Amino acid sequence: MKFIEEIKHKIGQFVFLRELQNNKRQKSACSLDESHSIGILYDATSESDILKIKPFVDYFFNLKKEVKALGFVNAKELSNLHTPKLQYDFFSNKDLNWYYKPQNYIIDNFVKKEYDILINLCDSNCIPIKYLVASSIAHFKIGRYEDNYTIYDLMIELNKDKSIDKLMQEIKHYLTLINSK
């Protein structure tokens, strides 16, 4: 069984790299003041994960940004916690093909939208989210620093505190420092 999983991962990695090379997006650094739309990707498996990102989404929404948070639920089915709302959508394992690539209309809409800023709150171990980041045509992609991972335009390195709370705090900090003009 482990052998089959390794093959799935290798094929998934190959498809991922091909999509990354074929992604024809316009890269451009975007300050928080200049941005209009922000996409956020995160792990939404547990209720605590969802509650952690709510203030982060609200922060951008209160700045009059169009925000869409897409959460990955590492389970076969979505529960009552995962009811789509105005700024929140979810997808689960049932929305993945056999090599873990996410596929459904919610995902297609998210990936095809030209967000000014795309924020990934997961690390590269979350394969479905990694696909979405690679496929997205967002202008400015932000994520956690990882060695040999060139998918982002801005990478945030966390030293001692590697929590999602610290990552969100650092992302807000650096977005306010960026001046695109």
Side-chain angles (χ1 to χ4, degrees):
M1 197 64 159
K2 184 175 178 165
F3 175 72
I4 293 172
E5 289 299 312
E6 287 178 16
I7 290 174
K8 287 174 157 182
H9 280 281
K10 287 191 186 302
I11 291 172
Q13 184 68 16
F14 172 77
V15 173
F16 164 75
L17 291 172
R18 191 181 66 208
E19 284 191 20
L20 188 58
Q21 289 173 342
N22 292 336
N23 189 338
K24 305 293 184 228
R25 68 183 178 101
Q26 285 186 291
K27 295 180 184 179
S28 65
C30 186
S31 70
L32 193 52
D33 291 337
E34 292 177 327
S35 68
H36 300 288
S37 59
I38 298 173
I40 300 171
L41 296 167
Y42 69 104
D43 183 347
T45 304
S46 72
E47 183 176 13
S48 64
D49 294 332
I50 297 168
L51 293 175
K52 276 184 187 176
I53 76 125
K54 186 177 181 342
F56 191 64
V57 172
D58 291 345
Y59 170 78
F60 295 117
F61 186 73
N62 291 336
L63 292 174
K64 308 292 187 245
K65 307 300 179 192
E66 176 191 336
V67 184
K68 179 59 88 175
L70 181 60
F72 171 61
V73 180
N74 193 5
K76 279 281 185 204
E77 297 291 326
L78 298 175
S79 71
N80 293 340
L81 290 172
H82 306 107
T83 306
K85 298 175 184 74
L86 180 63
Q87 296 134 342
Y88 297 89
D89 271 319
F90 302 94
F91 69 102
S92 67
N93 288 332
K94 75 173 176 56
D95 299 309
L96 307 179
N97 68 12
W98 65 273
Y99 55 87
Y100 309 109
K101 181 179 178 186
Q103 295 178 318
N104 74 20
Y105 72 94
I106 293 168
I107 292 160
D108 289 341
N109 290 341
F110 188 90
V111 167
K112 290 176 183 170
K113 175 143 178 66
E114 281 191 57
Y115 290 104
D116 295 319
I117 300 171
L118 177 69
I119 299 169
N120 179 11
L121 298 175
C122 296
D123 60 22
S124 65
N125 294 327
C126 187
I127 295 170
I129 296 287
K130 186 166 84 168
Y131 269 113
L132 296 183
V133 175
S135 303
S136 173
I137 57 173
H139 298 292
F140 190 48
K141 298 180 183 181
I142 302 171
R144 187 183 305 248
Y145 174 81
E146 296 180 58
D147 287 333
N148 303 319
Y149 205 62
T150 58
I151 196 168
Y152 302 113
D153 304 311
L154 174 65
M155 297 172 75
I156 308 291
E157 184 169 14
L158 302 174
N159 293 322
K160 293 178 185 170
D161 183 359
K162 298 191 182 294
S163 70
I164 193 167
D165 294 318
K166 181 66 173 172
L167 178 62
M168 291 185 293
Q169 176 188 348
E170 292 295 315
I171 289 171
K172 285 194 282 189
H173 171 72
Y174 284 106
L175 279 175
T176 57
L177 292 179
I178 294 172
N179 185 0
S180 307
K181 293 180 181 177

